[in-house]
Amino acid sequence: MQTYEEYTDIHVPSFEKSPQRLQCLSHAQLKELADIAEDAYYLLDLNKVTDNYHKFRNCFAQQYEACQIAYSFKTNYTPALCRHLKALGCFAEVVSKMEYDMATKVVGYHPSQVIVNGPVHSQQFVETVMTDGALFNADAWYLLAMVEKVCKRYPQRQFRIGVRITYPIAQGGESRFGITCDKANMSKLASWQKSLNNCQIVGFHSHFSNSSRSFASFSSRINGLLSASETFFKAALPHFINVGGGFFGEMPDSLASQYGQSVATFEQYADAVCSPMTAQYTPKRGESQPLLLLEPGTALVSNAMVFVAQVLEVKHRAGRALALINGSNHNVNHKWQGETLPVQVIPKPGSRSTSNLGETFDLVGNTCIEKDVICQGVKGSVQAGDFVVFQYMGGYSNVLKQPFIHPCQGIFAWQNQRLIKVKKNGDMHSVLYDYQ
Ligand SMILES: Cc1ncc(COP(=O)(O)O)c(C=O)c1O
């Protein structure tokens, strides 16, 4: 069922024959879109998403053919983006009923192409997911108790599930998710499975969001999964090994340099994961290998969207230049842990006086919060009418943006030679929609 409005094509002369690269947008292009948007806006490059997807998938598939990517919806569930990834062959990874409904009812996924993770679900939802035939990864024992109820309610059906496990990894803290992978829990899982005659645990999943995204971390993530699978499945083959998400994507140099040597490439991740996979599951004649499942979010979309806002005024206070924009920390600062954001200032043509070397300014936001200082000490000069382009905004920015004081901004997208509006600006009606 298509419940969403079709996207709107937009004719923007300055975008025609544009090289379509988010890092090279001109003042004229940004201005034309700003006039249409009547506000600040996000701009999403779906061609870049295509490139990211193919690069990521090819790196893994070249080393381990039986692999499948499931895009993590929470990272950015813009339907146009999810539909685009679906068309490329990507599955969906969801963690709530809301995301499951988006995947199956809006984006059009068949449940068999949806992986359901997440720590909190209702009994009704677990039943829906299992009876629909989606892949459910139980994150905790209380969810396994829900699975058990479903199995007893449908004794004539055979179910297959996965289990999320956790274990210590290199360069990572303890995860609060999943079932601790120790001897006691492994044998408890085996007994649990034995007590039901219509449910099979067919694979393990792990994901670590509090660890580094390094090569070393991924080596220990996969080793933990492989050793748990060896213990649990013994000589039998699991159906899958799911290494989760948490991969770096390609990013601007100014951001990469802040992570030092640890920004692994897709090739390096593929080496870290696929070599031990192949060693443990060497393809044997007539026997298939377990499916390697990967759940990237950041790596597929972060570099494919920017947030654009025009400078409204520059004030000078206590020795600081404060450039005000119609956007806030809420638009851009989620999930950042003190990194300097990759920001470009695109000057208004023709009106610049020569800037002093060493000039800096702060970018300040549109809320009434004194602390809504988006970036401090940005190098260069700035003046009203300039555009500020925040790079690397595709992951966790629009989905975490609340309509605080101002509604959420709209999203434009490139798709081949078309510029389309894929999200409207919010307004009083959309903000008050759920209130009685
Ligand atoms: C289970 C799971 N898979 C995948 C992801 C995507 O992570 P990332 O955007 O870091 O790739 C997340 C994000 O938290 C997650 O919780």
Side-chain angles (χ1 to χ4, degrees), residues 72 74-75 93 95 117 164 205 207 209 213 244-247 295-299 335 396:
S72 154
K74 74 181 80 58
T75 309
E93 185 268 337
V95 288
N117 296 318
R164 177 164 173 173
H205 167 239
H207 171 81
S209 53
R213 295 171 179 265
F247 308 90
E295 301 173 342
T298 301
K335 280 237 169 180
Y396 306 99

Side-chain angles (χ1 to χ4, degrees), residues 93-104:
E93 185 268 337
V94 303
V95 288
S96 65
K97 180 180 183 309
M98 177 187 83
E99 290 186 2
Y100 184 74
D101 288 346
M102 286 175 181
T104 54

Side-chain angles (χ1 to χ4, degrees), residues 256-427:
S257 60
Q258 297 175 55
Y259 299 112
Q261 294 301 309
S262 62
V263 180
T265 61
F266 293 167
E267 287 86 355
Q268 288 169 327
Y269 286 129
D271 283 344
V273 172
C274 299
S275 304
M277 271 295 280
T278 317
Q280 181 153 321
Y281 299 113
T282 317
K284 293 192 192 112
R285 200 188 284 263
E287 212 181 58
S288 56
Q289 288 172 287
L291 186 64
L292 171 62
L293 291 170
L294 304 146
E295 301 173 342
T298 301
L300 296 186
V301 299
S302 283
N303 63 2
M305 191 162 89
V306 293
F307 177 66
V308 181
Q310 194 160 25
V311 175
L312 302 171
E313 186 177 62
V314 181
K315 281 182 192 168
H316 294 271
R317 282 286 147 78
R320 293 159 66 202
L322 307 178
L324 176 69
I325 62 166
N326 191 10
S328 82
N329 255 316
H330 301 264
N331 285 103
V332 298
N333 264 346
H334 293 293
K335 280 237 169 180
W336 297 95
Q337 293 168 348
E339 295 94 329
T340 303
L341 296 183
V343 174
Q344 291 172 300
V345 176
I346 311 297
K348 188 175 168 186
S351 55
R352 209 37 135 239
S353 56
T354 39
S355 65
N356 294 328
L357 278 179
E359 223 174 320
T360 62
F361 61 91
D362 295 351
L363 275 171
V364 294
N366 61 3
T367 64
C368 300
I369 296 180
E370 286 286 359
K371 277 191 184 156
D372 191 7
V373 177
I374 306 166
C375 297
Q376 273 185 305
V378 183
K379 291 199 173 64
S381 66
V382 68
Q383 63 185 30
D386 291 352
F387 277 101
V388 183
V389 180
F390 295 87
Q391 294 287 336
Y392 213 64
M393 288 294 129
Y396 306 99
S397 54
N398 58 306
V399 286
L400 284 166
K401 165 77 179 76
Q402 291 170 2
F404 176 56
I405 299 182
H406 298 276
C408 294
Q409 292 84 356
I411 305 177
F412 296 98
W414 295 115
Q415 191 162 37
N416 300 324
Q417 299 306 310
R418 290 165 67 210
L419 191 60
I420 45 184
K421 188 157 195 181
V422 297
K423 181 178 185 271
K424 293 188 282 195
N425 295 339
D427 61 13

Side-chain angles (χ1 to χ4, degrees), residues 133-165:
L135 173 58
F136 182 61
N137 284 324
D139 189 284
W141 285 106
Y142 90 95
L143 290 168
L144 286 168
M146 290 184 178
V147 168
E148 193 172 329
K149 279 196 184 150
V150 178
C151 294
K152 291 189 171 146
R153 209 167 131 88
Y154 297 88
Q156 74 289 5
R157 288 194 55 174
Q158 287 296 325
F159 295 103
R160 291 177 178 144
I161 61 155
V163 174
R164 177 164 173 173
I165 54 171

